[in-house]
Coordinates of all heavy atoms in Angstrom, one line a residue:
M1 N 5.0 17.4 13.1 CA 5.7 16.1 12.9 C 5.9 15.9 11.4 O 5.1 16.2 10.6 CB 4.7 15.0 13.4 CG 5.3 13.6 13.4 SD 4.3 12.4 14.2 CE 4.1 11.3 12.9
R2 N 7.1 15.4 11.1 CA 7.5 15.2 9.8 C 7.0 13.8 9.3 O 7.2 12.8 10.0 CB 9.0 15.3 9.7 CG 9.5 15.4 8.3 CD 10.9 15.9 8.3 NE 11.5 15.5 7.1 CZ 12.8 15.7 6.8 NH1 13.6 16.1 7.8 NH2 13.3 15.4 5.7
R3 N 6.5 13.8 8.1 CA 6.0 12.5 7.6 C 7.2 11.7 7.0 O 8.1 12.2 6.5 CB 5.0 12.8 6.4 CG 3.7 13.3 6.9 CD 2.8 13.6 5.8 NE 2.6 12.6 4.8 CZ 1.8 12.7 3.8 NH1 1.0 13.8 3.7 NH2 1.7 11.7 2.9
P4 N 7.1 10.4 7.2 CA 8.2 9.5 6.6 C 8.2 9.7 5.1 O 7.2 9.9 4.5 CB 7.8 8.1 7.0 CG 6.8 8.3 8.1 CD 6.1 9.6 7.9
S5 N 9.4 9.5 4.6 CA 9.5 9.6 3.1 C 10.6 8.6 2.7 O 11.3 8.0 3.5 CB 9.9 11.0 2.7 OG 11.1 11.4 3.3
S6 N 10.8 8.6 1.4 CA 11.8 7.7 0.8 C 12.9 8.5 0.3 O 12.8 9.7 -0.1 CB 11.2 6.9 -0.4 OG 10.1 6.2 0.0
D7 N 14.1 7.9 0.4 CA 15.3 8.6 -0.1 C 15.8 7.8 -1.4 O 15.7 6.6 -1.4 CB 16.4 8.6 0.9 CG 16.0 9.4 2.2 OD1 15.2 10.3 2.0 OD2 16.5 9.1 3.2
C8 N 16.4 8.6 -2.3 CA 17.0 7.9 -3.5 C 18.2 7.2 -3.0 O 19.1 7.7 -2.4 CB 17.4 9.0 -4.5 SG 18.3 8.3 -5.9
P9 N 18.3 5.9 -3.4 CA 19.5 5.1 -3.0 C 20.8 5.5 -3.7 O 21.8 5.2 -3.3 CB 19.1 3.7 -3.3 CG 18.0 3.8 -4.3 CD 17.3 5.1 -4.1
N10 N 20.6 6.2 -4.8 CA 21.8 6.7 -5.6 C 22.4 8.0 -5.1 O 23.6 8.1 -4.8 CB 21.3 6.8 -7.1 CG 22.5 7.0 -8.0 OD1 23.5 6.3 -7.8 ND2 22.4 7.8 -9.0
C11 N 21.5 9.0 -4.9 CA 22.0 10.3 -4.5 C 21.7 10.7 -3.0 O 22.2 11.6 -2.5 CB 21.5 11.4 -5.4 SG 19.8 11.7 -5.4
G12 N 20.7 9.9 -2.4 CA 20.4 10.2 -1.0 C 19.4 11.3 -0.8 O 19.0 11.6 0.3
R13 N 18.9 12.0 -1.9 CA 18.0 13.0 -1.7 C 16.6 12.5 -1.4 O 16.2 11.4 -1.9 CB 17.9 13.9 -3.0 CG 19.2 14.5 -3.5 CD 19.6 15.8 -2.8 NE 18.7 16.8 -2.9 CZ 18.8 17.8 -3.8 NH1 19.8 17.8 -4.7 NH2 17.9 18.8 -3.9
R14 N 15.8 13.3 -0.7 CA 14.5 12.9 -0.3 C 13.5 13.0 -1.5 O 13.4 13.9 -2.2 CB 14.0 13.8 0.8 CG 12.8 13.2 1.6 CD 12.6 14.0 2.9 NE 13.7 14.0 3.8 CZ 14.0 13.0 4.6 NH1 13.3 11.9 4.6 NH2 15.1 13.1 5.4
L15 N 12.7 11.9 -1.7 CA 11.7 11.8 -2.8 C 10.4 12.0 -2.2 O 10.0 11.5 -1.1 CB 11.8 10.4 -3.4 CG 13.1 10.0 -4.1 CD1 13.0 8.6 -4.5 CD2 13.5 10.9 -5.2
T16 N 9.5 12.8 -2.9 CA 8.2 13.0 -2.4 C 7.3 11.8 -2.8 O 7.6 11.1 -3.7 CB 7.6 14.3 -3.1 OG1 7.5 14.1 -4.5 CG2 8.5 15.5 -2.8
Q17 N 6.2 11.7 -2.2 CA 5.2 10.6 -2.5 C 4.7 10.8 -3.9 O 4.3 9.8 -4.5 CB 4.1 10.6 -1.5 CG 4.5 10.1 -0.1 CD 3.3 9.9 0.8 OE1 2.3 10.5 0.6 NE2 3.6 9.2 1.9
R18 N 4.6 12.0 -4.4 CA 4.2 12.2 -5.8 C 5.2 11.7 -6.8 O 4.8 11.3 -7.9 CB 3.9 13.7 -6.0 CG 2.7 14.2 -5.3 CD 2.5 15.7 -5.6 NE 1.6 16.3 -4.7 CZ 0.4 16.5 -4.9 NH1 -0.1 16.2 -6.1 NH2 -0.4 17.1 -4.0
T19 N 6.4 11.6 -6.4 CA 7.5 11.2 -7.3 C 7.5 9.7 -7.4 O 7.8 9.1 -8.5 CB 8.9 11.7 -6.8 OG1 8.8 13.1 -6.7 CG2 10.0 11.3 -7.8
V20 N 7.3 9.0 -6.3 CA 7.5 7.5 -6.2 C 6.3 6.9 -6.8 O 5.1 7.2 -6.5 CB 7.6 7.1 -4.7 CG1 7.7 5.6 -4.6 CG2 8.8 7.7 -4.1
R21 N 6.6 6.0 -7.8 CA 5.5 5.2 -8.4 C 5.6 3.7 -8.0 O 6.7 3.1 -8.1 CB 5.7 5.2 -10.0 CG 5.7 6.6 -10.6 CD 4.4 7.1 -10.7 NE 3.5 6.1 -11.3 CZ 2.5 6.3 -12.1 NH1 2.2 7.5 -12.4 NH2 1.8 5.3 -12.6
I22 N 4.5 3.2 -7.4 CA 4.5 1.9 -6.9 C 4.4 0.8 -8.0 O 5.0 -0.2 -8.0 CB 3.4 1.7 -5.9 CG1 3.8 2.5 -4.6 CG2 3.2 0.2 -5.5 CD1 2.7 2.4 -3.6
D23 N 3.7 1.2 -9.1 CA 3.3 0.2 -10.1 C 4.3 0.1 -11.3 O 4.3 -0.8 -12.1 CB 1.9 0.5 -10.7 CG 1.8 1.9 -11.2 OD1 2.7 2.8 -10.8 OD2 0.8 2.2 -11.9
Q24 N 5.2 1.1 -11.4 CA 6.2 1.1 -12.5 C 7.5 1.8 -12.1 O 7.5 2.5 -11.1 CB 5.6 1.7 -13.7 CG 5.2 3.2 -13.5 CD 4.5 3.7 -14.7 OE1 3.8 3.0 -15.4 NE2 4.5 5.0 -14.9
S25 N 8.5 1.7 -12.9 CA 9.8 2.3 -12.5 C 9.6 3.8 -12.8 O 8.7 4.3 -13.5 CB 10.9 1.8 -13.3 OG 10.7 1.9 -14.7
F26 N 10.5 4.6 -12.1 CA 10.4 6.1 -12.2 C 11.8 6.6 -12.1 O 12.7 5.9 -11.7 CB 9.5 6.7 -11.2 CG 9.9 6.3 -9.8 CD1 10.7 7.2 -9.0 CD2 9.5 5.1 -9.2 CE1 11.1 6.9 -7.7 CE2 9.9 4.8 -7.9 CZ 10.7 5.7 -7.2
R27 N 12.0 7.8 -12.4 CA 13.4 8.4 -12.4 C 13.4 9.4 -11.2 O 12.5 10.1 -10.9 CB 13.7 9.2 -13.6 CG 13.8 8.3 -14.8 CD 14.7 9.0 -15.9 NE 14.9 8.1 -17.0 CZ 15.9 7.2 -17.0 NH1 16.8 7.2 -16.1 NH2 16.1 6.5 -18.1
C28 N 14.6 9.4 -10.5 CA 14.8 10.4 -9.5 C 14.9 11.7 -10.1 O 15.6 11.9 -11.1 CB 16.2 10.0 -8.8 SG 16.7 11.3 -7.6
P29 N 14.2 12.7 -9.6 CA 14.2 14.1 -10.2 C 15.5 14.8 -10.0 O 15.8 15.8 -10.6 CB 13.0 14.8 -9.5 CG 12.8 14.0 -8.2 CD 13.2 12.6 -8.5
F30 N 16.4 14.3 -9.1 CA 17.6 15.0 -8.8 C 18.8 14.4 -9.6 O 19.6 15.1 -10.1 CB 17.9 14.9 -7.3 CG 16.8 15.5 -6.5 CD1 16.0 14.6 -5.8 CD2 16.6 16.8 -6.5 CE1 14.9 15.1 -5.0 CE2 15.5 17.3 -5.7 CZ 14.7 16.5 -5.0
C31 N 18.9 13.0 -9.6 CA 20.1 12.4 -10.3 C 19.7 11.6 -11.5 O 20.5 11.0 -12.2 CB 20.8 11.5 -9.3 SG 19.9 10.1 -8.8
S32 N 18.4 11.5 -11.8 CA 17.9 10.8 -13.0 C 18.1 9.3 -12.9 O 18.0 8.6 -14.0 CB 18.4 11.4 -14.3 OG 18.0 12.7 -14.4
A33 N 18.4 8.7 -11.8 CA 18.6 7.3 -11.7 C 17.2 6.6 -11.8 O 16.2 7.1 -11.3 CB 19.2 6.9 -10.3
E34 N 17.2 5.5 -12.5 CA 16.0 4.7 -12.7 C 15.8 3.9 -11.4 O 16.6 3.1 -11.0 CB 16.1 3.8 -13.9 CG 14.8 3.0 -14.1 CD 14.3 3.1 -15.5 OE1 14.9 3.8 -16.3 OE2 13.3 2.5 -15.7
L35 N 14.6 4.1 -10.8 CA 14.2 3.5 -9.5 C 12.9 2.7 -9.6 O 12.1 3.0 -10.5 CB 14.1 4.5 -8.4 CG 15.3 5.5 -8.2 CD1 14.9 6.6 -7.2 CD2 16.5 4.7 -7.7
S36 N 12.7 1.7 -8.8 CA 11.5 1.0 -8.7 C 11.2 0.5 -7.3 O 12.2 0.3 -6.5 CB 11.5 -0.2 -9.7 OG 12.5 -1.1 -9.3
V37 N 10.0 0.3 -7.0 CA 9.6 -0.1 -5.6 C 9.6 -1.7 -5.7 O 9.1 -2.3 -6.6 CB 8.2 0.4 -5.3 CG1 7.7 -0.2 -4.0 CG2 8.2 1.9 -5.2
P38 N 10.2 -2.3 -4.7 CA 10.2 -3.8 -4.7 C 8.8 -4.4 -4.7 O 7.9 -3.8 -4.1 CB 10.9 -4.2 -3.4 CG 11.6 -3.0 -3.0 CD 10.9 -1.8 -3.5
R39 N 8.6 -5.5 -5.4 CA 7.2 -6.1 -5.5 C 6.7 -6.5 -4.1 O 5.5 -6.6 -3.8 CB 7.3 -7.3 -6.4 CG 7.4 -7.0 -7.8 CD 7.4 -8.2 -8.7 NE 7.3 -7.9 -10.0 CZ 6.3 -8.3 -10.8 NH1 5.3 -9.0 -10.3 NH2 6.2 -7.9 -12.0
F40 N 7.7 -6.8 -3.2 CA 7.3 -7.2 -1.8 C 6.4 -6.2 -1.2 O 5.5 -6.5 -0.4 CB 8.5 -7.5 -1.0 CG 8.2 -7.9 0.4 CD1 7.7 -9.1 0.7 CD2 8.4 -6.9 1.4 CE1 7.4 -9.4 2.0 CE2 8.2 -7.3 2.7 CZ 7.7 -8.5 3.1
Y41 N 6.7 -4.9 -1.4 CA 5.9 -3.8 -0.8 C 4.5 -3.9 -1.1 O 3.6 -3.8 -0.3 CB 6.5 -2.4 -1.3 CG 5.9 -1.2 -0.6 CD1 6.2 -0.9 0.7 CD2 4.9 -0.5 -1.3 CE1 5.6 0.2 1.3 CE2 4.3 0.6 -0.6 CZ 4.7 0.9 0.7 OH 4.1 2.0 1.3
T42 N 4.2 -4.1 -2.4 CA 2.8 -4.2 -2.8 C 2.1 -5.5 -2.3 O 1.0 -5.5 -1.9 CB 2.7 -4.2 -4.3 OG1 3.2 -3.0 -4.8 CG2 1.2 -4.2 -4.8
K43 N 2.9 -6.6 -2.3 CA 2.4 -7.9 -1.9 C 2.0 -7.9 -0.4 O 1.0 -8.5 -0.1 CB 3.4 -9.0 -2.2 CG 3.5 -9.3 -3.7 CD 4.4 -10.5 -4.0 CE 4.4 -10.7 -5.5 NZ 5.2 -11.9 -5.8
W44 N 2.8 -7.3 0.4 CA 2.4 -7.3 1.8 C 1.2 -6.5 2.1 O 0.4 -6.8 3.0 CB 3.6 -7.0 2.8 CG 4.0 -5.5 2.9 CD1 5.0 -4.9 2.2 CD2 3.4 -4.5 3.7 NE1 5.1 -3.6 2.5 CE2 4.1 -3.3 3.4 CE3 2.3 -4.5 4.6 CZ2 3.7 -2.1 4.1 CZ3 2.0 -3.3 5.2 CH2 2.7 -2.2 4.9
R45 N 1.0 -5.4 1.3 CA -0.2 -4.6 1.5 C -1.4 -5.4 1.1 O -2.5 -5.3 1.7 CB -0.1 -3.3 0.7 CG 0.9 -2.4 1.3 CD 1.0 -1.0 0.6 NE 0.3 -0.8 -0.6 CZ 0.1 0.4 -1.1 NH1 0.7 1.4 -0.6 NH2 -0.6 0.5 -2.2
V46 N -1.3 -6.1 0.0 CA -2.5 -7.0 -0.4 C -2.8 -8.1 0.6 O -3.9 -8.3 0.9 CB -2.2 -7.6 -1.8 CG1 -3.3 -8.6 -2.2 CG2 -2.1 -6.5 -2.9
L47 N -1.7 -8.7 1.1 CA -1.9 -9.8 2.1 C -2.6 -9.2 3.3 O -3.5 -9.8 3.9 CB -0.6 -10.4 2.4 CG -0.6 -11.5 3.5 CD1 -1.5 -12.7 3.0 CD2 0.7 -11.9 3.9
I48 N -2.2 -8.1 3.8 CA -2.8 -7.5 5.0 C -4.2 -7.1 4.7 O -5.1 -7.3 5.5 CB -2.0 -6.2 5.5 CG1 -0.7 -6.7 6.1 CG2 -2.8 -5.4 6.5 CD1 0.3 -5.5 6.4
S49 N -4.5 -6.6 3.5 CA -5.9 -6.3 3.1 C -6.8 -7.5 3.1 O -7.9 -7.5 3.5 CB -5.9 -5.6 1.8 OG -5.2 -4.4 1.8
I50 N -6.3 -8.6 2.6 CA -7.1 -9.8 2.5 C -7.4 -10.3 3.9 O -8.5 -10.6 4.2 CB -6.4 -10.9 1.7 CG1 -6.3 -10.5 0.2 CG2 -7.0 -12.3 1.8 CD1 -5.5 -11.4 -0.7
V51 N -6.4 -10.4 4.7 CA -6.6 -10.9 6.1 C -7.5 -10.0 6.9 O -8.4 -10.4 7.6 CB -5.2 -11.1 6.8 CG1 -5.4 -11.4 8.3 CG2 -4.4 -12.2 6.1
G52 N -7.3 -8.7 6.7 CA -8.1 -7.7 7.4 C -9.6 -7.8 7.0 O -10.5 -7.7 7.8
A53 N -9.8 -8.0 5.7 CA -11.1 -8.1 5.1 C -11.8 -9.3 5.6 O -13.0 -9.2 5.9 CB -11.1 -8.1 3.6
V54 N -11.1 -10.4 5.7 CA -11.8 -11.6 6.3 C -12.2 -11.4 7.7 O -13.3 -11.7 8.2 CB -10.8 -12.8 6.2 CG1 -11.4 -14.0 7.0 CG2 -10.7 -13.2 4.7
G55 N -11.3 -10.7 8.5 CA -11.6 -10.4 9.9 C -12.8 -9.5 10.0 O -13.7 -9.7 10.8
V56 N -12.9 -8.4 9.2 CA -14.0 -7.5 9.3 C -15.3 -8.1 8.8 O -16.3 -8.0 9.5 CB -13.7 -6.2 8.4 CG1 -14.9 -5.4 8.2 CG2 -12.6 -5.4 9.0
A57 N -15.2 -8.9 7.7 CA -16.4 -9.6 7.2 C -16.9 -10.6 8.3 O -18.1 -10.8 8.5 CB -16.1 -10.3 5.9
R58 N -15.9 -11.3 8.9 CA -16.3 -12.3 9.9 C -17.0 -11.6 11.2 O -17.8 -12.2 11.8 CB -15.0 -13.1 10.4 CG -15.3 -14.1 11.4 CD -16.3 -15.1 11.0 NE -16.5 -16.1 12.1 CZ -17.6 -16.0 12.9 NH1 -18.4 -15.0 12.8 NH2 -17.8 -16.9 13.8
L59 N -16.6 -10.4 11.5 CA -17.2 -9.7 12.5 C -18.7 -9.4 12.2 O -19.6 -9.4 13.1 CB -16.5 -8.4 12.9 CG -15.2 -8.5 13.6 CD1 -14.6 -7.1 13.7 CD2 -15.4 -9.1 14.9
A60 N -19.0 -9.2 10.9 CA -20.3 -8.9 10.5 C -21.2 -10.1 10.3 O -22.4 -10.1 10.7 CB -20.3 -8.1 9.2
L61 N -20.6 -11.2 9.7 CA -21.4 -12.4 9.4 C -20.6 -13.6 9.7 O -19.4 -13.6 9.6 CB -21.8 -12.4 7.9 CG -22.7 -11.3 7.4 CD1 -22.8 -11.3 5.9 CD2 -24.1 -11.5 8.0
P62 N -21.3 -14.8 9.9 CA -20.5 -16.0 10.0 C -20.1 -16.5 8.6 O -20.7 -16.1 7.6 CB -21.6 -17.0 10.6 CG -22.9 -16.4 10.3 CD -22.7 -14.9 10.3
F63 N -19.0 -17.3 8.6 CA -18.5 -17.9 7.3 C -19.6 -18.6 6.5 O -19.5 -18.6 5.3 CB -17.3 -18.8 7.6 CG -16.1 -18.1 8.0 CD1 -15.5 -18.5 9.3 CD2 -15.5 -17.2 7.3 CE1 -14.3 -17.9 9.7 CE2 -14.3 -16.6 7.7 CZ -13.7 -16.9 8.9
T64 N -20.5 -19.2 7.2 CA -21.6 -20.0 6.5 C -22.7 -19.2 5.9 O -23.5 -19.7 5.2 CB -22.2 -21.0 7.5 OG1 -22.7 -20.3 8.6 CG2 -21.1 -22.0 8.0
S65 N -22.7 -17.9 6.1 CA -23.8 -17.0 5.6 C -23.6 -16.9 4.1 O -22.5 -16.7 3.6 CB -23.7 -15.7 6.2 OG -24.6 -14.8 5.6
P66 N -24.7 -17.0 3.3 CA -24.6 -16.8 1.9 C -24.2 -15.4 1.5 O -23.7 -15.1 0.4 CB -26.0 -17.1 1.4 CG -26.9 -17.1 2.6 CD -26.1 -17.3 3.8
L67 N -24.3 -14.4 2.4 CA -23.9 -13.0 2.1 C -22.4 -12.8 2.5 O -21.9 -11.7 2.2 CB -24.8 -12.1 2.9 CG -26.2 -12.0 2.4 CD1 -27.0 -11.1 3.3 CD2 -26.3 -11.6 1.0
F68 N -21.7 -13.8 3.0 CA -20.3 -13.6 3.4 C -19.4 -13.1 2.3 O -18.6 -12.2 2.4 CB -19.8 -14.8 4.1 CG -18.4 -14.6 4.6 CD1 -18.2 -14.0 5.8 CD2 -17.3 -15.0 3.9 CE1 -16.9 -13.7 6.3 CE2 -16.0 -14.8 4.4 CZ -15.8 -14.2 5.6
P69 N -19.5 -13.8 1.1 CA -18.6 -13.3 0.0 C -18.9 -11.9 -0.4 O -17.9 -11.1 -0.6 CB -19.0 -14.2 -1.2 CG -19.6 -15.5 -0.5 CD -20.3 -15.0 0.7
L70 N -20.1 -11.4 -0.4 CA -20.3 -10.0 -0.7 C -19.8 -9.1 0.4 O -19.2 -8.0 0.1 CB -21.8 -9.7 -0.9 CG -22.5 -10.4 -2.2 CD1 -24.0 -10.2 -2.2 CD2 -21.8 -9.9 -3.4
T71 N -20.0 -9.5 1.6 CA -19.4 -8.7 2.7 C -17.9 -8.6 2.6 O -17.3 -7.6 2.9 CB -19.9 -9.3 4.0 OG1 -21.3 -9.4 4.0 CG2 -19.5 -8.4 5.2
W72 N -17.3 -9.8 2.3 CA -15.8 -9.8 2.2 C -15.3 -8.9 1.1 O -14.3 -8.2 1.3 CB -15.4 -11.2 1.9 CG -13.9 -11.3 1.8 CD1 -13.0 -11.4 2.9 CD2 -13.1 -11.2 0.6 NE1 -11.7 -11.4 2.4 CE2 -11.7 -11.2 1.0 CE3 -13.4 -11.1 -0.7 CZ2 -10.7 -11.2 0.1 CZ3 -12.4 -11.0 -1.6 CH2 -11.0 -11.1 -1.2
I73 N -16.0 -8.9 0.0 CA -15.6 -8.0 -1.1 C -15.7 -6.5 -0.7 O -14.7 -5.8 -0.9 CB -16.4 -8.2 -2.4 CG1 -16.1 -9.6 -3.0 CG2 -16.2 -7.2 -3.5 CD1 -17.1 -10.1 -4.1
A74 N -16.8 -6.1 -0.1 CA -16.9 -4.8 0.4 C -15.8 -4.4 1.4 O -15.2 -3.4 1.4 CB -18.3 -4.5 1.0
A75 N -15.6 -5.4 2.3 CA -14.6 -5.2 3.4 C -13.2 -5.1 2.8 O -12.3 -4.3 3.2 CB -14.7 -6.3 4.4
F76 N -12.9 -5.9 1.7 CA -11.6 -5.9 1.1 C -11.3 -4.5 0.5 O -10.2 -4.0 0.7 CB -11.5 -6.9 -0.1 CG -10.2 -6.9 -0.8 CD1 -9.1 -7.4 -0.2 CD2 -10.2 -6.4 -2.1 CE1 -7.9 -7.4 -0.9 CE2 -9.0 -6.3 -2.7 CZ -7.8 -6.9 -2.1
F77 N -12.3 -3.8 -0.1 CA -12.0 -2.5 -0.7 C -11.8 -1.5 0.5 O -11.0 -0.6 0.4 CB -13.1 -2.1 -1.6 CG -13.1 -2.8 -2.9 CD1 -14.0 -3.8 -3.3 CD2 -12.1 -2.4 -3.8 CE1 -13.9 -4.4 -4.5 CE2 -12.0 -3.1 -5.1 CZ -12.9 -4.1 -5.4
L78 N -12.6 -1.6 1.5 CA -12.5 -0.7 2.6 C -11.2 -0.9 3.3 O -10.4 0.1 3.6 CB -13.7 -0.9 3.6 CG -13.6 -0.1 4.9 CD1 -13.8 1.4 4.6 CD2 -14.7 -0.6 5.9
V79 N -10.8 -2.1 3.7 CA -9.6 -2.3 4.4 C -8.4 -2.0 3.5 O -7.4 -1.5 3.9 CB -9.5 -3.8 4.9 CG1 -8.1 -4.2 5.4 CG2 -10.6 -4.0 5.9
G80 N -8.5 -2.3 2.2 CA -7.4 -2.0 1.2 C -7.2 -0.5 1.2 O -6.0 -0.1 1.1
F81 N -8.2 0.3 1.2 CA -8.0 1.7 1.2 C -7.3 2.2 2.4 O -6.4 3.0 2.4 CB -9.4 2.4 1.0 CG -9.3 3.9 1.1 CD1 -8.9 4.6 0.0 CD2 -9.7 4.6 2.3 CE1 -8.8 6.0 0.1 CE2 -9.6 5.9 2.3 CZ -9.2 6.7 1.3
V82 N -7.8 1.7 3.6 CA -7.1 2.1 4.8 C -5.7 1.7 4.9 O -4.8 2.4 5.3 CB -7.9 1.5 6.0 CG1 -7.2 1.7 7.3 CG2 -9.3 2.1 6.1
V83 N -5.4 0.5 4.4 CA -4.0 0.0 4.4 C -3.1 0.8 3.5 O -2.0 1.2 3.8 CB -3.9 -1.5 4.0 CG1 -2.5 -2.0 3.7 CG2 -4.5 -2.4 5.1
A84 N -3.7 1.2 2.3 CA -2.9 2.0 1.4 C -2.6 3.4 1.9 O -1.5 3.9 1.8 CB -3.7 2.1 0.1
V85 N -3.6 4.0 2.6 CA -3.3 5.3 3.2 C -2.3 5.2 4.3 O -1.4 6.0 4.4 CB -4.7 5.9 3.6 CG1 -4.4 7.2 4.5 CG2 -5.6 6.3 2.4
L86 N -2.5 4.3 5.2 CA -1.7 4.2 6.4 C -0.2 3.8 6.0 O 0.7 4.3 6.6 CB -2.2 3.2 7.4 CG -3.5 3.7 8.1 CD1 -4.0 2.6 9.1 CD2 -3.3 5.0 8.8
S87 N -0.1 2.9 5.0 CA 1.2 2.5 4.6 C 2.0 3.6 3.9 O 3.2 3.8 4.0 CB 1.2 1.2 3.8 OG 0.6 1.5 2.5
G88 N 1.2 4.5 3.2 CA 1.8 5.6 2.5 C 2.3 6.7 3.5 O 3.3 7.3 3.4
L89 N 1.5 6.8 4.6 CA 1.9 7.8 5.7 C 3.0 7.3 6.6 O 3.9 8.1 6.9 CB 0.6 8.1 6.5 CG -0.5 8.8 5.9 CD1 -1.7 8.9 6.8 CD2 0.0 10.2 5.5
F90 N 3.0 6.0 7.0 CA 3.9 5.6 8.0 C 5.0 4.7 7.5 O 6.1 4.5 8.1 CB 3.1 4.9 9.1 CG 2.2 5.7 9.8 CD1 0.8 5.6 9.7 CD2 2.6 6.8 10.6 CE1 -0.1 6.4 10.3 CE2 1.7 7.7 11.2 CZ 0.4 7.4 11.1
L91 N 4.8 4.0 6.4 CA 5.8 3.1 5.8 C 6.0 3.3 4.3 O 5.6 2.5 3.5 CB 5.4 1.6 6.1 CG 5.3 1.2 7.5 CD1 4.6 -0.2 7.6 CD2 6.6 1.2 8.2
P92 N 6.5 4.4 3.9 CA 6.6 4.7 2.5 C 7.6 3.7 1.8 O 8.5 3.2 2.5 CB 7.1 6.1 2.4 CG 7.8 6.4 3.7 CD 7.1 5.5 4.7
P93 N 7.5 3.4 0.6 CA 8.4 2.5 -0.1 C 9.8 3.0 -0.1 O 10.1 4.1 -0.1 CB 7.8 2.4 -1.5 CG 6.9 3.5 -1.7 CD 6.5 4.0 -0.4

């Protein structure tokens, strides 16, 4: 099965995940066009991570527990990692 990838909007050539930079602009290795990933891509990943972390932490502890904030922080990093990996595999920028 072929993994999803991004194409250069300028020349249409396929970009590898190593080429695409989420945090800053980058150049297409084929046509040298300056490209960037829309901010929305990062924002929806963070939003899903926050909501997912609340759900995971809520499964472990009630909201009123004094340990809930610590559980949420740990869950945020765990869910954030999973969201980053899965979005890179199935929904590349």
